[in-house]
């Protein structure tokens, strides 16, 4: 009987964990959408995802972007066209394959992305601002363990 109570208790804990993970993922998505609107409210949030990827990993082909972000190539092409038109991304011939192009972020794109990401960071810092260092360190360690790091 005691083992059954343990299993029931464990199942309830796992349900609560799932609820909290869902809340985290939902909040993260909402914050991404809000941050993307700070970057440019006229673009889809996925466009900001492309800019962030280019900022993090450097110049890339549209094909590599699509593969890395698990997006459809036609969607990436459409978003890149919008980003280029807005002046956030530019393309140049691929030095390894003159038939292809390499995309990179312009200074304007970088400046607007940094502004948006700073606002996103402020939201996260707000949530932990009253945590003491030991609570924050414990949270970091638990996340590392959960993420398999």
């Amino acid at each position: 009987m005691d083992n059954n109570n343990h299993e029931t208790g464990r199942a309830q804990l796992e349900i609560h964990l799932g609820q909290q993970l869902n809340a985290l993922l939902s909040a993260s998505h909402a914050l991404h959408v809000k941050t993307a609107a700070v970057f440019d409210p006229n673009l889809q949030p996925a466009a900001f995802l492309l800019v962030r990827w280019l900022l993090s990993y450097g110049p890339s082909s549209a094909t590599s972007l699509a593969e890395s972000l698990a997006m459809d190539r036609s969607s990436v092409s459409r978003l890149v066209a919008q980003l280029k038109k807005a002046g956030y991304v530019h393309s140049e011939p691929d030095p390894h394959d003159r038939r292809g192009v390499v995309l990179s972020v312009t200074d304007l794109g970088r400046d607007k992305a940094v502004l948006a990401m700073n606002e996103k960071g402020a939201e996260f810092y707000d949530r932990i601002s009253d945590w003491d260092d030991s609570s924050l360190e414990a949270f970091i360690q638990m996340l590392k363990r959960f993420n398999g790091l």
Side-chain angles (χ1 to χ4, degrees):
M1 196 69 146
D2 196 45
N3 192 29
N4 192 27
N5 284 341
H6 173 72
E7 289 174 12
T8 302
R10 177 67 181 212
Q12 285 298 314
L13 288 172
E14 290 172 357
I15 288 170
H16 291 302
L17 173 61
Q19 291 169 338
Q20 291 306 309
L21 289 173
N22 284 335
L24 175 64
L25 293 172
S26 295
S28 178
H29 177 71
L31 187 53
H32 170 72
V33 170
K34 181 180 175 183
T35 304
V38 170
F39 177 73
D40 189 321
N42 298 313
L43 296 174
Q44 292 179 321
F48 182 56
L49 189 61
L50 297 180
V51 170
R52 284 186 28 220
W53 194 94
L54 289 169
L55 281 174
S56 294
Y57 299 103
S60 175
S61 69
T63 300
S64 293
L65 268 176
E67 290 171 2
S68 297
L69 296 169
M71 293 176 69
D72 181 73
R73 284 182 57 190
S74 62
S75 296
V76 169
S77 294
R78 182 180 44 77
L79 293 169
V80 166
Q82 293 171 3
L83 289 166
K84 286 171 68 174
K85 184 177 180 183
Y88 301 135
V89 168
H90 72 274
S91 60
E92 55 193 10
D94 185 335
H96 305 294
D97 178 3
R98 289 289 178 189
R99 295 170 295 170
V101 296
V102 174
L103 305 165
S104 57
V105 179
T106 64
D107 289 341
L108 174 63
R110 182 180 332 282
D111 292 346
K112 291 203 60 157
V114 167
L115 178 71
M117 289 186 296
N118 284 343
E119 188 156 320
K120 182 179 184 176
E123 288 246 0
F124 280 118
Y125 292 128
D126 243 15
R127 293 177 186 196
I128 61 169
S129 64
D130 62 345
W131 292 17
D132 61 40
D133 290 353
S134 62
S135 295
L136 184 56
E137 187 173 325
F139 186 63
I140 291 166
Q141 293 307 317
M142 284 187 275
L143 282 174
K144 280 183 180 179
R145 184 174 175 194
F146 182 78
N147 289 326
L149 304 175

